């Protein structure tokens, strides 16, 4: 009697959990735009079917055994997850595209303090190596590599990233990690091997001079931190990161940072001048040919950003309470308020150290240094593009990115006067955050 009772409870739990997974799968599977390797839930879908039909044969011992074995393993995974959540470890991916202020917003987290492991664009290495080896044109291959590297890094495992670093690290030591100095945690004393003059290229950590980076040390430091944040501008579609949200070892949240595509184009034309030569030419004379590759690329980028946001805002189960959309313009206007909201969303404590960094770096400062600088009067900066982009190009962006502008609440302009009239705001007040609370 007693044994039977226990078994039926286990069974009930099994059904509930498996059913929950099924509903996740059926909601999202038809929307998967990217072929992924089969995941565990896909297998369980078939299994639960059998399970439900076999209600009558509950006394079949073989089936019972395999069911309870599977259940046991699932529950083990489940309690692993609980343990992670219980310990309060947070894994945040800050996803953006170039020239959207992601370095600046990344600093909000990088400056959090001793309990933060922050990485600045590790996927730079991945893109670079894929481009060298394959021309980098296969988006599916790139998306998988990005996903796998991010997953391992969130677990403090640098081994997969190492395969992409050029030159290959020797004994897990590299002098070539991209923008190491942008990660406070990679410049801490415990991760700073001695700098020997004349032997190594100096590594310009902001606080100290270090020798090459020992990735074993980096990993050890990472494991000791409560929170991990990775910023990247290379993930094209949020959906490709779904396995990370479903990984029971992680408690992943996504912050998608967006910016007015007209402003992004204006900024890129300055920062990446050679690549944007065509846009410069169009600015000087003639028409913008809508069937040009450059225009198609712009449209493709806008569509990816919009589709990612649409999935996030739709809140499928796998993303529930794991997605937040932030507009750069709102951060520029209300940096402290938005930082508070982001920290609240992540569940990471907003430290006085982080607050003070934001205060110092969002006030007027005449000493701006270079196009990558984050130290600017942010609200003034956010509007500057309106005077640098020719109306013609603004129109071209509006044509290519119409639905994107609309979703994020960026007003289209109908004349040159409207574009440069600062009394007309081009940003509609729009609350996206209501959707994650
Ligand atoms: C399934 O099992 C439950 C509990 O033992 C029982 O009440 C129910 O009638 C069964 N359903 C079918 C379709 O056999
Ligand atoms: C438990 O988790 C591991 C790693 O996350 C996974 O490989 C395995 O398939 C999971 N087991 C079950 C039964 O879900
Ligand atoms: C991309 O790579 C995948 C996997 O190797 C392959 O199946 C696919 O055909 C490739 N796509 C293109 C456009 O080359
Ligand atoms: C890197 O750090 C690890 C852990 O501190 C240490 O065991 C290893 O010897 C270091 N590697 C090198 C090449 O110094
Ligand atoms: C930053 O620029 C804006 C817009 O020009 C201006 O209103 C604001 O006063 C400036 N902020 C500071 C702290 O000077």
């Amino acid at each position: 009697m007693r044994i039977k009772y226990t078994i039926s409870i286990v069974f009930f739990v099994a059904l509930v959990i498996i059913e929950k997974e099924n509903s996740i799968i059926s909601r999202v599977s038809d929307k998967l735009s990217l072929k992924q390797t089969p995941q565990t839930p896909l297998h369980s879908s078939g299994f639960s079917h059998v399970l439900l039909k076999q209600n009558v044969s509950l006394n079949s011992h073989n089936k019972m055994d395999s069911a309870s074995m599977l259940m046991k393993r699932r529950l083990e995974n489940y309690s692993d997850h609980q343990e992670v959540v219980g310990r309060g470890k947070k894994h945040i991916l800050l996803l953006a595209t170039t020239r959207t202020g992601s370095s600046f917003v990344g600093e909000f987290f990088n400056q959090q303090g001793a309990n933060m492991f922050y990485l600045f664009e590790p996927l730079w290495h991945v893109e670079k190596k894929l481009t060298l080896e394959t021309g980098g044109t296969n988006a599916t291959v790139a998306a998988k590599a990005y996903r796998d590297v991010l997953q391992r890094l969130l677990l403090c495992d640098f081994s997969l990233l190492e395969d992409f670093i050029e030159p290959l690290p020797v004994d897990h030591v590299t002098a070539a990690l991209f923008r190491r100095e942008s990660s406070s945690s990679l410049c801490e004393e415990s991760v700073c091997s001695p700098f020997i003059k004349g032997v190594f290229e100096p590594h310009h950590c902001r606080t100290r001079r270090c020798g090459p980076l020992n990735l074993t040390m980096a990993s050890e430091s990472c494991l000791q931190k409560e929170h991990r944040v990775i910023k990247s501008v290379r993930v094209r579609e949020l959906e490709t990161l779904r396995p990370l949200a479903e990984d029971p070892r992680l408690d992943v949240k996504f912050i998608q940072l967006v910016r007015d595509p007209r402003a992004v184009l204006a900024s890129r034309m300055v920062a990446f001048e050679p690549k944007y030569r065509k846009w410069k030419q169009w600015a000087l004379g003639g028409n913008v040919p809508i069937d040009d590759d450059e225009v198609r690329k712009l449209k493709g980028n806008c569509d990816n950003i919009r589709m990612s946001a649409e999935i996030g805002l739709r809140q499928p189960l796998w993303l529930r309470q794991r997605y937040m959309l932030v507009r750069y313009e709102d951060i520029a206007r209300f940096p402290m308020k938005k930082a508070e909201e982001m920290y609240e969303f992540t569940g990471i404590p907003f430290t006085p150290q982080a607050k003070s960094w934001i205060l110092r770096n969002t006030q007027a400062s005449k000493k701006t240094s270079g196009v990558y600088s984050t130290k600017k009067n942010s609200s003034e900066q956010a509007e500057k593009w309106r005077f640098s982009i020719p109306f013609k190009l603004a129109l071209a962006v509006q044509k290519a990115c119409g639905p994107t502008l609309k979703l994020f609440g960026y007003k289209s302009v109908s004349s040159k006067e409207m574009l440069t009239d600062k009394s007309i705001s081009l940003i509609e007040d729009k609350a996206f955050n209501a959707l994650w609370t």
Side-chain angles (χ1 to χ4, degrees):
M1 244 354 237
R2 189 158 178 178
I3 291 168
K4 204 173 161 193
Y5 179 70
T6 315
I7 288 175
S8 57
I9 286 182
V10 169
F11 219 79
F12 176 71
V13 175
L15 285 175
V16 168
I17 292 178
I18 291 168
E19 272 317 283
K20 195 173 149 219
E21 285 188 353
N22 270 343
S23 68
I24 301 172
I25 298 156
S26 55
R27 271 177 211 220
V28 192
S29 61
D30 55 327
K31 288 160 202 146
L32 271 179
S33 50
L34 194 97
K35 286 268 176 294
Q36 292 174 354
T37 48
Q39 302 149 40
T40 29
L42 293 177
H43 298 302
S44 76
S45 140
F47 181 77
S48 89
H49 230 79
V50 174
L51 208 63
L52 289 168
K53 280 191 197 148
Q54 300 286 331
N55 190 22
V56 194
S57 52
L58 260 177
N59 43 11
S60 154
H61 287 291
N62 279 343
K63 289 206 168 77
M64 199 54 234
D65 284 350
S66 61
S68 58
M69 280 286 278
L70 183 81
M71 198 53 246
K72 219 174 139 191
R73 276 189 285 132
R74 274 184 192 286
L75 286 174
E76 272 162 19
N77 273 2
Y78 188 65
S79 47
D80 276 356
H81 190 189
Q82 290 296 70
E83 198 188 354
V84 170
V85 176
R87 279 201 308 263
K89 280 208 158 97
K90 307 290 179 195
H91 308 86
I92 313 301
L93 289 170
L94 175 60
L95 305 173
T97 52
T98 55
R99 313 311 293 172
T100 56
S102 62
S103 306
F104 180 64
V105 178
E107 283 299 304
F108 288 15
F109 294 103
N110 188 35
Q111 299 292 332
Q112 199 261 356
N115 239 336
M116 170 64 65
F117 192 84
Y118 172 77
L119 284 179
F120 182 103
E121 195 53 85
L123 301 184
W124 183 87
H125 293 286
V126 182
E127 181 182 56
K128 190 155 184 233
K129 183 128 184 192
L130 289 177
T131 306
L132 278 174
E133 284 182 351
T134 67
T137 45
N138 193 320
T140 312
V141 170
K144 271 188 185 167
Y146 293 161
R147 174 195 74 193
D148 293 345
V149 169
L150 288 175
Q151 186 168 26
R152 301 272 281 270
L153 287 173
L154 287 174
L155 293 162
C156 300
D157 174 356
F158 284 77
S159 58
L160 187 55
L161 178 65
E162 277 191 36
D163 294 342
F164 292 96
I165 297 176
E166 291 275 338
L168 268 179
V170 177
D171 290 336
H172 310 292
V173 172
T174 178
L177 191 82
F178 179 63
R179 297 283 295 267
R180 171 193 182 176
E181 73 284 359
S182 296
S183 300
S184 299
S185 38
L186 293 182
C187 287
E188 275 172 6
E189 188 143 18
S190 67
V191 189
C192 186
S193 48
F195 167 70
I196 306 169
K197 210 174 167 192
V199 177
F200 303 126
E201 291 290 311
H203 255 212
H204 299 287
C205 273
R206 285 166 191 162
T207 44
R208 52 175 64 87
R209 288 175 113 189
C210 300
L213 180 64
N214 179 332
L215 291 164
T216 310
M217 288 179 174
S219 171
E220 282 166 1
S221 162
C222 173
L223 283 167
Q224 280 166 14
K225 310 279 182 180
E226 197 84 351
H227 313 300
R228 295 158 201 167
V229 177
I230 301 177
K231 161 220 136 124
S232 178
V233 296
R234 287 181 164 72
V235 175
R236 296 279 159 257
E237 293 173 58
L238 181 59
E239 186 105 52
T240 61
L241 298 182
R242 181 175 166 189
L244 276 63
E246 292 173 341
D247 186 331
R249 296 165 298 175
L250 300 171
D251 183 10
V252 178
K253 290 186 177 177
F254 306 93
I255 298 179
Q256 187 183 359
L257 177 65
V258 300
R259 185 182 183 188
D260 189 324
R262 294 165 299 191
V264 171
L265 176 64
S267 178
R268 286 182 183 167
M269 285 172 68
V270 177
F272 312 133
E273 205 197 325
K275 270 185 150 177
Y276 281 76
R277 199 159 286 150
K278 266 193 183 167
W279 289 98
K280 274 260 161 70
Q281 282 165 7
W282 294 328
L284 293 173
N287 289 317
V288 182
I290 48 162
D291 59 344
D292 190 277
D293 268 358
E294 282 296 312
V295 182
R296 261 196 235 117
K297 213 161 73 191
L298 172 74
K299 180 172 165 19
N301 290 341
C302 277
D303 287 345
N304 279 336
I305 294 165
R306 176 179 49 79
M307 288 187 298
S308 293
E310 280 170 354
I311 288 170
L313 296 172
R314 207 187 299 142
Q315 302 270 302
L317 264 179
W318 66 275
L319 270 179
R320 194 151 294 169
Q321 302 195 322
R322 297 195 183 281
Y323 175 85
M324 180 182 191
L325 179 72
V326 183
R327 294 186 302 188
Y328 170 76
E329 292 79 6
D330 293 326
I331 291 174
R333 291 183 299 170
F334 319 108
M336 198 57 82
K337 179 169 164 273
K338 296 312 282 187
E340 255 161 30
E341 285 175 17
M342 280 187 277
Y343 266 101
E344 195 195 331
F345 164 71
T346 61
I348 297 172
F350 191 16
T351 56
Q353 196 176 330
K355 282 180 195 163
S356 120
W357 187 91
I358 294 166
L359 266 183
R360 274 183 282 127
N361 288 279
T362 51
Q363 317 259 320
S365 167
K366 293 275 176 301
K367 290 174 286 175
T368 58
S369 51
V371 288
Y372 287 100
S373 172
T374 54
K375 197 167 179 173
K376 292 165 181 171
N377 175 337
S378 54
S379 44
E380 195 176 313
Q381 285 297 322
E383 292 258 83
K384 247 175 117 177
W385 67 272
R386 295 176 64 173
F387 300 91
S388 72
I389 194 171
F391 175 59
K392 186 172 31 173
L393 297 196
L395 275 186
V397 178
Q398 287 174 191
K399 215 167 194 174
C401 302
T404 309
L405 290 167
K406 191 154 182 272
L407 176 66
F408 298 140
Y410 299 129
K411 272 181 239 163
S412 289
V413 296
S414 49
S415 67
K416 186 177 186 334
E417 290 66 39
M418 184 179 175
L419 176 63
T420 52
D421 183 348
K422 261 195 167 177
S423 70
I424 302 172
S425 169
L426 298 184
I427 306 155
E428 283 164 21
D429 282 330
K430 218 168 167 176
F432 304 98
N433 54 353
L435 292 159
W436 55 262
T437 48

